[in-house]
Amino acid sequence: MGIITKISLRNLVRQRKRNIPLGICIALSMCILIVVFAYTSGITDILFNKVMTYAFGHIRVEMTENTSQMRQVIRDIDRFKEKAREVIPGIGEMYGEVNAFARCLGNGKSTSLTLVGLDLENEYEDFAKQLKVVEGDPKDVFLNPDEDALALYKQAADKLDVHVGDVVRVRLNTVSGQVQSAQLVVRVIAKADNAFMAMAAFMRQDKLRALLGMRKQEATGLIINMKNLENPAVVIEKANKLHDVLKPGIAGITARLTAGGNGAAGAKNSAGAAGERTLQADLFALKTDTKDEQLYTAQLKITAGDMSAFKDTEDGVLLSEKTAADLKVKPGDIIGFDYHTRFEDQARDDTLTVVALFEPAADNMQNTAFVNQEVFYKHYFKDLPMKEPAFAQTNPLAPALVMQYKLLDRTPDTDSSMKKMQEVRKGDWKGAVVDVATMYETASMIINLQYVLNFIGMAAILILFIVILIGIVNTLRMTIRERTREIGTNRAIGMQRNDLINSFVGEILLLAIISCAVGLLAAFGLMQLLHLIKFDLSDNPLSILFIEGRLHFVPRISLILLSFYVISAICFCVAFFPSRRASRMSVAGALRHFE
Amino acid sequence: MKKLYKRIAIKLIFGFLFGSTLWAVPTGNEILAAMDRQQSMNTDITAKVKITQQRTDQGVRVLECVFYRRDKDDAFLIVMTAPDSEKGNGYLSDGDNMYMYRRNTRTFQHVGRDEKIGDSNASMGDMESRKYSELYRVAKDSAGKEIIVEETLGNAKIPVYRVEVTAKVSDVKYPKQVIWVTRDNFLVLKTDSYSLSGTLMETAYFTKYTVIQGRYIPLWQKFIDRFEVGNMSVVELSGISLKRIENTVFTKPYLENLSK
């Protein structure tokens, strides 16, 4: 140990009457900083790694269909999952969400809940650990296919006045908007971490799908959660990548058209030809907005029939001349139309009435047919086709054709996201829209809440810290001022200025290190004590910031080190400048100094 | 005398032959078509509507609005006039699209059939003039016979047909209904509506009709929630007019101006 360090240590001990209170102030500052940082980290942890992943997901993809009703359903969830895996590394979990808002009746009481369908064949163990069961066994809900069972949180169970074994009646809407009802048996009651989580109830996903009329490949949304999200802003970049690869193509169906004969969905042929005629055709949909109507009217050279009723027809089709000739049909005839579906590989069939014939503008449109978007959506949304034909984007007709969906632009927060959706809803749109959103858009009010709470916490602590700091600074200055004669004596016996400065700075830094260590221990002790306090926050929205009514602390090494460096830096400054000034005094002047 | 007996016999025979057809139960399609004819308004209709809603957890709430309807174009317009929290809000359908107007933000929003009107149990789809014959078919029993039963309804023992119907399309609210219609003029007096799983969800009564220019209009309707017992709504129409409504009424600018 160097001589200066020994001097610093000796002075530290010698001045203990002054240094102990000073050390306590420094320790207190360290303790407060660590506790506040740990609390704000805890809020971030709750919001981003619990509430967000639980309720909104870090990244969320939604598809909304609008035909006669607004339906939130992704028809081909695996397609979106595949795209996400291609461009987003580090995915913690990704799943198709199946949930529904339901009105629930218990024993004479009612409440509204969100029913969440969980597919737990592979994840049962993890989920069962996370679910803080008060009554019942999760196996009875998720591993028993013979009963329509439900897992509720205690708050909801109390509202409904039900216990394990009781029946809850639920009313919800299917994905097509029909009223559905069911009786579910409560098999699990669990403790929710906060009032927000308590709004959910869980059941087997296959059971909920059956109630909602949803098929295995459908989901209400795609949720993507990253692993241990420390820097929330990283999800924005990942969402942008996903957005870029989800650009839609032109929607189409490779279908079989049939005319003549006795079969083929009642097809009729005015030419009277015997036998059935079939051919494969590419069926696309023309949009019926005024500007699109003008475009396709200009692009399609109609050679027979009348286009005027096309956009309002409920079963009209435009055929190319070649297709009509091969099928031996003309305007007014009815043809059969069927295609193989992508899932379940069933044949879906219907009839269409030939409205008009057109001369194809290009060779690759020889076996092409067009319907209006209403006719198209009747089939397309319900059953995606096994094969979707391509249509050249360079074709002048392309802008008038219906896309697989409309991909909405990315937005930075909830406000702009809401404005975006309002703009979409203002228009007379039909079809599907897809939105890729991060938690910044789906729940920016929660993120803002986190910012505000962090800001308030930091502001409060900063004020307290400044008050304490003023005390420390003042005390240090007084200390050095009172030891001016000692400085003079040391200078007189040959101590150099730098050594003098180093001895004082070393003394203060040693004090800071020891005090910070004590403060660290005190901080952990205080966090443990505060964690023991349980707050009664039933139905209080602020319970979202607590876990089981208790404060949640997440001390991070980086923030502890930051606290130490901040305090050390301050101590260094308050020791360095006064001691430097004192070291510059003349020896005689320092020896003459009198307080 | 012989001629007299002959005439009587002929009349009796004819009466038996034709009388039996007159007394035959109509087919399901005939009943549905007749119901559609009764419900469709060839003219425009304007009415003041009062909805008294009773909920077990919220007490009684009264909503009032002005309702314009034109079946020919499948258009309707609703402007809320009470309570103050809803006043000025509106709902518009132009046949192809449905919109909700919010007075506070002065914005229109595209909505679907399931959008609630004024936070009541009524939805946009309930206001549409959709035909029973397009939405439903009469259910058949195991023998393949249509489920149409002759009954009487209520204390007045009104002769009715009880008809069980199931949905033909997926975008209807209730996939199954049992409807009681009067035998003489096919007015709907009562409906029981069932969920997809077959649970009775709602009973509606239409017990008071008025005749204006030969059209039957239900003045009083009661909707009883069978799922959440204790909830019900009563819809009352008044100030009914069948005068022609200007085309400009079923437009966004008109709704916006009316809401000011």
Side-chain angles (χ1 to χ4, degrees), chain B residues 14-26:
Chain B
F14 271 99
F16 175 74
L17 283 172
F18 290 106
S20 61
T21 57
L22 282 174
W23 290 323
V25 174

PDB file of all heavy atoms in Angstrom, chain B residues 14-26:
ATOM      1  N   PHE B  14    -118.124 -28.351 -53.662  1.00  0.00           N
ATOM      2  CA  PHE B  14    -117.143 -27.295 -53.961  1.00  0.00           C
ATOM      3  C   PHE B  14    -116.586 -26.709 -52.665  1.00  0.00           C
ATOM      4  O   PHE B  14    -115.383 -26.438 -52.556  1.00  0.00           O
ATOM      5  CB  PHE B  14    -117.769 -26.182 -54.810  1.00  0.00           C
ATOM      6  CG  PHE B  14    -117.654 -26.463 -56.288  1.00  0.00           C
ATOM      7  CD1 PHE B  14    -118.737 -27.001 -57.005  1.00  0.00           C
ATOM      8  CD2 PHE B  14    -116.465 -26.220 -56.961  1.00  0.00           C
ATOM      9  CE1 PHE B  14    -118.625 -27.268 -58.347  1.00  0.00           C
ATOM     10  CE2 PHE B  14    -116.359 -26.498 -58.321  1.00  0.00           C
ATOM     11  CZ  PHE B  14    -117.436 -27.017 -59.012  1.00  0.00           C
ATOM     12  N   GLY B  15    -117.514 -26.486 -51.706  1.00  0.00           N
ATOM     13  CA  GLY B  15    -117.048 -25.914 -50.435  1.00  0.00           C
ATOM     14  C   GLY B  15    -116.060 -26.822 -49.757  1.00  0.00           C
ATOM     15  O   GLY B  15    -115.032 -26.380 -49.237  1.00  0.00           O
ATOM     16  N   PHE B  16    -116.277 -28.105 -49.829  1.00  0.00           N
ATOM     17  CA  PHE B  16    -115.369 -29.061 -49.204  1.00  0.00           C
ATOM     18  C   PHE B  16    -114.019 -29.030 -49.903  1.00  0.00           C
ATOM     19  O   PHE B  16    -112.965 -28.981 -49.275  1.00  0.00           O
ATOM     20  CB  PHE B  16    -115.996 -30.468 -49.269  1.00  0.00           C
ATOM     21  CG  PHE B  16    -115.051 -31.522 -48.753  1.00  0.00           C
ATOM     22  CD1 PHE B  16    -114.800 -31.644 -47.393  1.00  0.00           C
ATOM     23  CD2 PHE B  16    -114.409 -32.374 -49.634  1.00  0.00           C
ATOM     24  CE1 PHE B  16    -113.927 -32.615 -46.925  1.00  0.00           C
ATOM     25  CE2 PHE B  16    -113.538 -33.341 -49.152  1.00  0.00           C
ATOM     26  CZ  PHE B  16    -113.302 -33.466 -47.806  1.00  0.00           C
ATOM     27  N   LEU B  17    -114.076 -29.019 -51.249  1.00  0.00           N
ATOM     28  CA  LEU B  17    -112.820 -29.056 -52.012  1.00  0.00           C
ATOM     29  C   LEU B  17    -111.993 -27.787 -51.761  1.00  0.00           C
ATOM     30  O   LEU B  17    -110.819 -27.855 -51.426  1.00  0.00           O
ATOM     31  CB  LEU B  17    -113.121 -29.188 -53.511  1.00  0.00           C
ATOM     32  CG  LEU B  17    -113.520 -30.594 -53.983  1.00  0.00           C
ATOM     33  CD1 LEU B  17    -113.967 -30.546 -55.433  1.00  0.00           C
ATOM     34  CD2 LEU B  17    -112.353 -31.549 -53.822  1.00  0.00           C
ATOM     35  N   PHE B  18    -112.640 -26.634 -51.966  1.00  0.00           N
ATOM     36  CA  PHE B  18    -111.880 -25.376 -51.870  1.00  0.00           C
ATOM     37  C   PHE B  18    -111.671 -24.945 -50.422  1.00  0.00           C
ATOM     38  O   PHE B  18    -110.655 -24.338 -50.094  1.00  0.00           O
ATOM     39  CB  PHE B  18    -112.576 -24.257 -52.667  1.00  0.00           C
ATOM     40  CG  PHE B  18    -112.481 -24.492 -54.149  1.00  0.00           C
ATOM     41  CD1 PHE B  18    -113.607 -24.916 -54.868  1.00  0.00           C
ATOM     42  CD2 PHE B  18    -111.282 -24.345 -54.814  1.00  0.00           C
ATOM     43  CE1 PHE B  18    -113.526 -25.171 -56.218  1.00  0.00           C
ATOM     44  CE2 PHE B  18    -111.199 -24.602 -56.174  1.00  0.00           C
ATOM     45  CZ  PHE B  18    -112.324 -25.012 -56.888  1.00  0.00           C
ATOM     46  N   GLY B  19    -112.664 -25.264 -49.591  1.00  0.00           N
ATOM     47  CA  GLY B  19    -112.507 -24.887 -48.186  1.00  0.00           C
ATOM     48  C   GLY B  19    -111.301 -25.559 -47.563  1.00  0.00           C
ATOM     49  O   GLY B  19    -110.552 -24.971 -46.789  1.00  0.00           O
ATOM     50  N   SER B  20    -111.013 -26.803 -47.969  1.00  0.00           N
ATOM     51  CA  SER B  20    -109.889 -27.516 -47.373  1.00  0.00           C
ATOM     52  C   SER B  20    -108.570 -26.860 -47.772  1.00  0.00           C
ATOM     53  O   SER B  20    -107.628 -26.827 -47.011  1.00  0.00           O
ATOM     54  CB  SER B  20    -109.914 -28.987 -47.776  1.00  0.00           C
ATOM     55  OG  SER B  20    -109.815 -29.094 -49.177  1.00  0.00           O
ATOM     56  N   THR B  21    -108.555 -26.340 -49.022  1.00  0.00           N
ATOM     57  CA  THR B  21    -107.308 -25.668 -49.411  1.00  0.00           C
ATOM     58  C   THR B  21    -107.169 -24.349 -48.681  1.00  0.00           C
ATOM     59  O   THR B  21    -106.077 -23.923 -48.332  1.00  0.00           O
ATOM     60  CB  THR B  21    -107.242 -25.420 -50.931  1.00  0.00           C
ATOM     61  OG1 THR B  21    -108.365 -24.653 -51.328  1.00  0.00           O
ATOM     62  CG2 THR B  21    -107.194 -26.729 -51.694  1.00  0.00           C
ATOM     63  N   LEU B  22    -108.311 -23.672 -48.453  1.00  0.00           N
ATOM     64  CA  LEU B  22    -108.240 -22.404 -47.711  1.00  0.00           C
ATOM     65  C   LEU B  22    -107.740 -22.629 -46.297  1.00  0.00           C
ATOM     66  O   LEU B  22    -107.052 -21.793 -45.727  1.00  0.00           O
ATOM     67  CB  LEU B  22    -109.630 -21.759 -47.652  1.00  0.00           C
ATOM     68  CG  LEU B  22    -110.085 -21.025 -48.929  1.00  0.00           C
ATOM     69  CD1 LEU B  22    -111.524 -20.580 -48.769  1.00  0.00           C
ATOM     70  CD2 LEU B  22    -109.193 -19.832 -49.226  1.00  0.00           C
ATOM     71  N   TRP B  23    -108.130 -23.747 -45.706  1.00  0.00           N
ATOM     72  CA  TRP B  23    -107.737 -23.986 -44.335  1.00  0.00           C
ATOM     73  C   TRP B  23    -106.388 -24.693 -44.235  1.00  0.00           C
ATOM     74  O   TRP B  23    -105.920 -25.006 -43.149  1.00  0.00           O
ATOM     75  CB  TRP B  23    -108.801 -24.846 -43.634  1.00  0.00           C
ATOM     76  CG  TRP B  23    -110.064 -24.075 -43.407  1.00  0.00           C
ATOM     77  CD1 TRP B  23    -110.171 -22.758 -43.070  1.00  0.00           C
ATOM     78  CD2 TRP B  23    -111.394 -24.570 -43.495  1.00  0.00           C
ATOM     79  NE1 TRP B  23    -111.489 -22.404 -42.951  1.00  0.00           N
ATOM     80  CE2 TRP B  23    -112.265 -23.491 -43.199  1.00  0.00           C
ATOM     81  CE3 TRP B  23    -111.944 -25.817 -43.783  1.00  0.00           C
ATOM     82  CZ2 TRP B  23    -113.655 -23.640 -43.201  1.00  0.00           C
ATOM     83  CZ3 TRP B  23    -113.321 -25.948 -43.786  1.00  0.00           C
ATOM     84  CH2 TRP B  23    -114.162 -24.872 -43.503  1.00  0.00           C
ATOM     85  N   ALA B  24    -105.684 -24.970 -45.321  1.00  0.00           N
ATOM     86  CA  ALA B  24    -104.401 -25.684 -45.281  1.00  0.00           C
ATOM     87  C   ALA B  24    -103.336 -24.762 -44.713  1.00  0.00           C
ATOM     88  O   ALA B  24    -103.361 -23.547 -44.895  1.00  0.00           O
ATOM     89  CB  ALA B  24    -104.002 -26.116 -46.686  1.00  0.00           C
ATOM     90  N   VAL B  25    -102.352 -25.362 -43.974  1.00  0.00           N
ATOM     91  CA  VAL B  25    -101.242 -24.581 -43.438  1.00  0.00           C
ATOM     92  C   VAL B  25    -100.343 -24.167 -44.594  1.00  0.00           C
ATOM     93  O   VAL B  25     -99.965 -25.003 -45.422  1.00  0.00           O
ATOM     94  CB  VAL B  25    -100.449 -25.444 -42.423  1.00  0.00           C
ATOM     95  CG1 VAL B  25     -99.213 -24.694 -41.962  1.00  0.00           C
ATOM     96  CG2 VAL B  25    -101.342 -25.829 -41.254  1.00  0.00           C
ATOM     97  N   PRO B  26     -99.977 -22.883 -44.676  1.00  0.00           N
ATOM     98  CA  PRO B  26     -99.089 -22.475 -45.773  1.00  0.00           C
ATOM     99  C   PRO B  26     -97.713 -23.097 -45.602  1.00  0.00           C
ATOM    100  O   PRO B  26     -97.328 -23.516 -44.508  1.00  0.00           O
ATOM    101  CB  PRO B  26     -99.047 -20.948 -45.631  1.00  0.00           C
ATOM    102  CG  PRO B  26     -99.480 -20.657 -44.247  1.00  0.00           C
ATOM    103  CD  PRO B  26    -100.337 -21.768 -43.799  1.00  0.00           C
TER     104      PRO B  26
END
